Structures are given as structure tokens and as C-alpha cells.
Amino acid sequence: MQEPEKMISFEERRMQRVINAVALASAGEIEVALKLLDGVEQDSFGVVEEALRVFLSELSDATQQNTQALAALAASKRELESQLETIQRQERAIRELSVPIIDIWHGILTLPLVGLFDSVRAVEVTERLLARVADDSDVEWVILDLTGVTVVDTMTAQHLIKLAQAVQLLGARCILTGLGGHVAGTLVTIGVSLDELSPMRSLREGLRFCLAQRKTYDLTEVIRRSAERMDASRETDS
């Protein structure tokens, strides 16, 4: 005959309930574990069950608080990323506005410089200007206008000279305009000469100079081509 199933005592059922509650809690099912511990008996073993229930209740509250804190942190991170992206867009826009390259005439560009012209800005100006000159083979002259620059030191002057040399390597030439009395006096005081940039007082004078140079070049080119045609004609006649 089959032996009768062993009867499980009340205490064993309570012990099994505690074990199941701990197992559920360890699996993250804290609320289910708490429901399993409802109806604690008022005895010595009930004290253990009640202590476990209080612990799981506090653990549930802490878990909810952590979840809310993580959600708030994720929201703050998204907001910061959005703000950072906005700042980066604004910085790009500011850089573009701070280096406006203007087609003032066919083959003549002007670059009005405003504010502080330090090493960082010199790199940005050089990169954008050289890219513009390299992309447009018609560019012959670049006018660097310093009307909006109030402070010029040795470093600034060196940046301008290097910029002009780089432009010249691409087949164009630079001139400097907008030198006010204060800036000119500073350059004399620090012993820096910008003569190779043909400095002029105003952008208007710089534009006239560039146009005059172009007319002179055009006239010279016409004379040269006429001479070549005349030489070719003499050779044909002979």
C-alpha cells in the first residue's frame, strides 16, 4: 500500500511562507512577497515574520525612491544634453558671425574683424578664409578690415602677417584697412611694421587700391597680348 502523504505542520507552512517571501523579494517581486506575509500571527515566530515584513516594506519604499531618482536623473541628463546641443549651435553661429567673409567686388573679398583677435580666433579666421580662397579661383584680393579692432599687440600683428602669407600661397593678396590712430600708435610703440600688408585708413581706400591694381594688371595684360600678336604677325609676314 502507498504510504500516506506526510502531514505538513502549521509551523512548517509558516517557515515555507517566509522562504517563499524571501525568494520573491530576491527576484524583485517585493509587493507579492509583502502580500504573502499578510496576517502575521501574534507569537514568537510571528515576530520574525513581522520583522521580515517591515524590512521588505522599507526595501519597497527605497526601491521606489531609487526608481524615481533614476528617472529624474535621466530627465536631467536629457535636458542637459539638449541645452549643450543648443549651446554648441549658438557657438557655431557666433563663430560664423564673428568671421563674416563678404564678396565686396568680383574677385575681392573683405573680412571685417571685430573685437579681440587672439590665437583661438586667428585659427578660426585662417581656416575659413583659406577655405574660401581655395574654393574660389577668381579671388585676387582679400581686404582685412580692422575698423572694429580696438587693441592690437605683437601677437595680433604676427597673426595678420601669417594670414596674409597663407593667402598669398593660394594666389591672392591681402591688404589691411581700418587702422585708427590709436592702433597705429600702438604698432609704432611696440615696433611692429605691417608695411607688407599695404595698410590704409578705410575700407573705401582699400577697395579703390584693389580696383586700381586690377586695372593696372588688366592694362598690362592687354599690352602683353597685343605685343605677342604683333610678334606673331611679323613672323608670319617674314
Side-chain angles (χ1 to χ4, degrees), residues 10-11 14 17-18 39-51:
F10 180 66
E11 287 75 12
R14 294 176 70 182
R17 183 172 65 175
V18 169
V40 176
E41 298 291 338
Q42 300 297 323
D43 55 17
S44 58
F45 193 80
V47 174
V48 176
E49 291 180 314
E50 178 63 19

Side-chain angles (χ1 to χ4, degrees), residues 102-177:
I102 304 171
D103 288 283
I104 195 172
W105 205 273
H106 179 70
I108 303 176
L109 303 179
T110 182
L111 177 60
L113 300 174
V114 180
L116 181 64
F117 190 69
D118 55 8
S119 299
V120 176
R121 192 173 177 209
V123 173
E124 295 177 358
V125 168
T126 301
E127 290 179 352
R128 290 201 61 199
L129 181 59
L130 294 184
R132 179 70 171 79
V133 175
D135 291 341
D136 190 351
S137 59
D138 292 333
V139 176
E140 300 176 11
W141 291 91
V142 176
I143 303 175
L144 303 176
D145 186 61
L146 300 184
T147 303
V149 176
T150 57
V151 178
V152 175
D153 54 13
T154 304
M155 189 65 68
T156 302
Q158 291 175 352
H159 288 324
L160 293 173
I161 293 173
K162 291 180 180 179
L163 177 59
Q165 292 172 345
V167 169
Q168 190 171 1
L169 289 175
L170 296 177
R173 291 182 59 188
C174 279
I175 64 171
L176 199 62
T177 64

Side-chain angles (χ1 to χ4, degrees), residues 152-154 157-158 161 183-195:
V152 175
D153 54 13
T154 304
Q158 291 175 352
I161 293 173
V183 173
T186 302
L187 292 175
V188 172
T189 301
I190 63 180
V192 175
S193 175
L194 297 176
D195 291 342

Side-chain angles (χ1 to χ4, degrees), residues 218-234:
D218 293 341
L219 180 59
T220 303
E221 187 66 15
V222 169
I223 295 174
R224 184 185 65 80
R225 292 180 180 179
S226 298
E228 290 178 351
R229 287 196 296 269
M230 292 178 62
D231 292 340
S233 178
R234 292 194 188 100

